[in-house]
Amino acid sequence: MADLEKKAKEAFIDDHFELAVDLYTQAIALDPTNPDLFADRAQANIKLNKFTEAVADASKAIELDASLAKAYLRKGIACMKVGKYQNAKAALEAGTSLVPGESRFTNLIKECDELIAEETGESKNHAADAQVNTVSRKDAVPEDTSTQAPLVIPSKPKYRHEFYQKPEEVVVSIFAKGIQASWVTVGFGEQTLSVSVEVPGEDGYHFQPRLFGKIKPDECKYNILSTKVEFRLAKAEPGLHWASLEYNKQTAVVQRIAVSSEIAQKPTYPSSKPKRVDWDKMEAQVKKEEKEEKLDGDAALNSFFRGIYQDADEDTRRAMKKSFVESNGTVLSTNWKEVGTKKVEGSPPDGMEMRKWEY
């Protein structure tokens, strides 16, 4: 398990995030109560823009160890990415209580406060507008409602959906648990997405929006997961920013994103809010922490001898292998002339396990 964890960290540092997730998953299968594995897989999922999975991993890490500060940090970042600022702030405040004064927590909490304030301000403006409209109608001539049709209140959708986007694609998620592939019918048009979910014994669900922009139907795909159905819509015009998922006249103004090789893989969100977190700086800091992580005990010893083996010539490596195997792990020699012509005997125990290292 330790070897899998080490390889996963190396993959993350080398920006091989999918490999890192796979290795952490294998390690978790062997040690499902290790909170560090879940917290580190959450970080790799954040790099892959899999924020829902990152929140789940960070929450599991916190469940296993409520004192693990990095789990709160990664839950906060993932929640911010999907616009859940209240949840993000709660996680970050819990984390900063464990490491008072840590700048990463305090900076993100400050940003959460600003984003929450912006959202609250928008809500207050809508409420004020509604109140003004109500007052202004007091003096208006009452309408004759005797011939009007009864008001029909639209029912709440059966499943919730949300989306985020990258310069080259839009990712739509419909949150429906336990859906089978045979229940789902999907169609992609030039500017439409058609989804029908027919669960036996229940009312059907139909989602057929006219999309904000055009897509490439042949390059679109979807995947049915345990908690949701995810759709990846290939933009017909990469770099075109979708102000909303569905087309309407108010948001039909074309906005383009400057696409460069440096930012091509970073997601953008349907918001005009300025970016306040230096993610690249945060990533560099995480990498530095991973590289500077100190080992102790057997882990340090094993790391030391791996270094010798990696830098050794062929005869030295042969000597190390032969002595270690034949002595059942109690003797390690780098002298091929000495061990190459005879069997290496193990070092006898003396009240406790003894190790003899020869150079």
Side-chain angles (χ1 to χ4, degrees):
M1 191 279 295
D3 187 48
L4 285 171
E5 184 178 8
K6 179 176 181 294
K7 289 179 179 178
K9 289 183 177 181
E10 291 173 350
F12 180 87
I13 292 172
D14 293 336
D15 292 341
H16 299 150
F17 304 122
E18 290 186 356
L19 175 60
V21 168
D22 182 59
L23 291 169
Y24 278 127
T25 301
Q26 294 180 45
I28 287 171
L30 298 175
D31 188 3
T33 59
N34 187 329
D36 288 290
L37 295 177
F38 285 97
D40 291 341
R41 188 171 71 174
Q43 178 72 344
N45 274 321
I46 288 173
K47 301 302 295 183
L48 291 171
N49 302 323
K50 296 182 177 180
F51 305 121
T52 302
E53 291 84 347
V55 171
D57 278 343
S59 298
K60 182 64 176 179
I62 293 169
E63 178 186 330
L64 294 171
D65 183 0
S67 65
L68 191 62
K70 65 181 179 180
Y72 293 97
L73 176 66
R74 290 162 188 178
K75 181 175 181 178
I77 292 172
C79 286
M80 289 181 69
K81 283 288 191 177
V82 295
K84 297 181 178 179
Y85 306 124
Q86 294 284 4
N87 293 349
K89 182 180 178 182
L92 294 168
E93 287 180 337
T96 196
S97 68
L98 300 172
V99 283
E102 169 59 53
S103 61
R104 287 181 293 179
F105 284 100
T106 54
N107 290 339
L108 288 171
I109 290 173
K110 182 179 179 181
E111 173 158 0
C112 278
D113 286 335
E114 293 173 354
L115 294 170
I116 291 169
E118 289 181 14
E119 286 190 336
T120 304
E122 292 173 2
S123 298
K124 288 181 178 178
N125 289 338
H126 289 311
D129 291 341
Q131 184 176 5
V132 169
N133 290 337
T134 301
V135 172
S136 64
R137 289 175 183 170
K138 286 184 178 180
D139 299 326
V141 177
E143 296 182 3
D144 181 6
T145 60
S146 60
T147 59
Q148 291 183 355
L151 178 64
V152 178
I153 301 175
S155 61
K156 183 178 179 181
K158 184 176 181 179
Y159 303 125
R160 177 175 62 88
H161 73 270
E162 62 184 31
F163 83 103
Y164 67 89
Q165 64 185 294
K166 302 178 184 179
E168 73 283 357
E169 69 175 359
V170 174
V171 181
V172 182
S173 296
I174 295 177
F175 294 91
K177 293 182 179 180
I179 296 299
Q180 297 182 16
S182 59
W183 301 343
V184 180
T185 303
V186 178
F188 300 108
E190 185 180 38
Q191 198 172 348
T192 59
L193 168 65
S194 175
V195 183
S196 295
V197 181
E198 299 289 348
V199 179
E202 298 182 9
D203 292 337
Y205 169 82
H206 304 284
F207 182 55
Q208 297 177 312
R210 179 186 176 189
L211 302 172
F212 180 87
K214 293 183 178 181
I215 60 176
K216 301 175 183 177
D218 293 341
E219 297 180 19
C220 297
K221 56 187 178 181
Y222 71 97
N223 189 21
I224 300 176
L225 306 174
S226 60
T227 59
K228 65 180 180 179
V229 184
E230 184 178 80
F231 305 86
R232 292 187 173 272
L233 311 178
K235 291 181 178 179
E237 298 179 74
L240 175 65
H241 178 74
W242 290 22
S244 62
L245 178 61
E246 300 184 43
Y247 175 88
N248 63 67
K249 292 182 179 180
Q250 280 91 9
T251 59
V253 178
V254 173
Q255 304 175 50
R256 293 189 177 277
I257 304 169
V259 183
S260 68
S261 58
E262 180 180 355
I263 66 170
Q265 298 303 318
K266 297 183 179 179
T268 58
Y269 295 88
S271 172
S272 59
K273 300 181 179 72
K275 182 178 180 182
R276 300 180 181 87
V277 178
D278 188 343
W279 300 109
D280 292 331
K281 182 178 179 181
M282 184 174 291
E283 176 185 351
Q285 187 172 352
V286 171
K287 287 186 176 183
K288 181 180 179 182
E289 290 175 359
E290 298 285 3
K291 288 184 177 180
E292 291 178 352
E293 182 178 5
K294 293 182 180 180
L295 301 175
D296 53 18
D298 286 345
L301 191 61
N302 290 335
S303 177
F304 171 71
F305 285 112
R306 278 198 297 270
I308 295 176
Y309 184 84
Q310 290 174 353
D311 297 333
D313 57 27
E314 187 61 31
D315 283 346
T316 300
R317 291 185 177 187
R318 292 165 62 193
M320 292 176 75
K321 287 181 180 179
K322 185 173 186 296
S323 61
F324 191 81
V325 172
E326 292 184 351
S327 67
N328 292 322
T330 60
V331 175
L332 183 65
S333 173
T334 59
N335 190 339
W336 176 249
K337 291 182 180 179
E338 177 181 340
V339 302
T341 57
K342 62 180 182 180
K343 181 178 180 180
V344 180
E345 300 294 335
S347 178
D350 184 13
M352 62 179 292
E353 180 182 1
M354 301 291 293
R355 293 187 178 183
K356 177 181 176 185
W357 310 106
E358 299 180 356
Y359 303 94

